[in-house]
Amino acid sequence: MAPRTTRRTSPRLLGAAALALTAALALTACGSSGSGAGGPAKVSKESSKSPYQATVLTKHFDKPDLVLNDTSGQPYDLRAKTAGRATLLFFGYTSCPDVCPTTMGDIGVAMSKLSPEEQQKIDVVFVSTDPERDTPKVLRTWLDSMGKSFTGLTGDLEKVKAAAKTLGVLVEDPIVNKDGTVTSSHGAQVLGFLPSDDKAHLLYLSSTSTQTFAHDLPLLAKGVAA
């Protein structure tokens, strides 16, 4: 994988605070031959004086009603397990060659800069879009290289697709290529949920730098309003 150049950029839009703009965000498809584009999902973002460097959403999404198996093979109720906790949620798959490991790696680096107390206040949840190959063991081994505290979920793909759809994230069925590799097209957004209301207020795109996550995670751990 080619070295990644990190840039500190703020995706928030500039302008009068009273104005809101609806943007169509192309969903990144990471696969064995690189990145492509899936169908667009419309989410709103507004200019603001938010302390966060993430895109601040005008529509606050509920956590999906999703129960899958975690990496210990036990049922994991996303809403119940993360209730009242700061949460980062990302959909992807372990054999992704680009967006998934880069995104999760950046989050892992940012998490490592937090104090132990801050780390304990944030749940990082990775939901597999290729559950047939992402067994609990495979998922745990992959996640451990980025963050041993990260939660990995795998199971019924139809449940995953339905949950992602409620957040405006597209997940498509994996495609097995002629050479045996797998391509799974999925949205590359990370949703940040605040502990105050368990809703997504923050959006991080695939181009988000480690520095942005490092800036925002201490705020998220404290439950600072967006």
Side-chain angles (χ1 to χ4, degrees), residues 43-85:
V43 298
S44 297
K45 56 183 180 178
E46 65 179 356
S47 64
S48 70
K49 295 181 180 179
S50 170
Y52 292 92
Q53 292 182 4
T55 297
V56 178
L57 300 172
T58 57
K59 177 180 179 180
H60 302 152
F61 295 92
D62 291 321
K63 285 177 183 171
D65 184 8
L66 180 64
V67 179
L68 296 171
N69 289 333
D70 62 19
T71 53
S72 66
Q74 298 301 309
Y76 185 99
D77 186 322
L78 179 64
R79 284 184 175 175
K81 291 288 188 179
T82 64
R85 294 179 55 78

Side-chain angles (χ1 to χ4, degrees), residues 19-44:
L19 296 179
L21 179 64
T22 299
L25 299 178
L27 303 186
T28 300
C30 60
S32 56
S33 59
S35 296
K42 290 185 177 181
V43 298
S44 297

Side-chain angles (χ1 to χ4, degrees), residues 77-146:
D77 186 322
L78 179 64
R79 284 184 175 175
K81 291 288 188 179
T82 64
R85 294 179 55 78
T87 306
L88 294 180
L89 180 63
F90 183 68
F91 295 83
Y93 67 117
T94 64
S95 57
C96 171
D98 37 50
V99 175
C100 300
T102 299
T103 299
M104 295 301 292
D106 286 347
I107 294 173
V109 170
M111 286 283 288
S112 71
K113 298 179 182 298
L114 301 179
S115 68
E117 292 75 19
E118 289 173 323
Q119 292 180 28
Q120 292 174 5
K121 293 180 179 180
I122 301 177
D123 290 325
V124 179
V125 182
F126 180 88
V127 180
S128 175
T129 61
D130 184 22
E132 184 174 340
R133 279 154 285 274
D134 285 346
T135 64
K137 182 178 180 180
V138 167
L139 195 51
R140 185 69 267 157
T141 299
W142 186 80
L143 285 173
D144 279 349
S145 65
M146 300 156 193

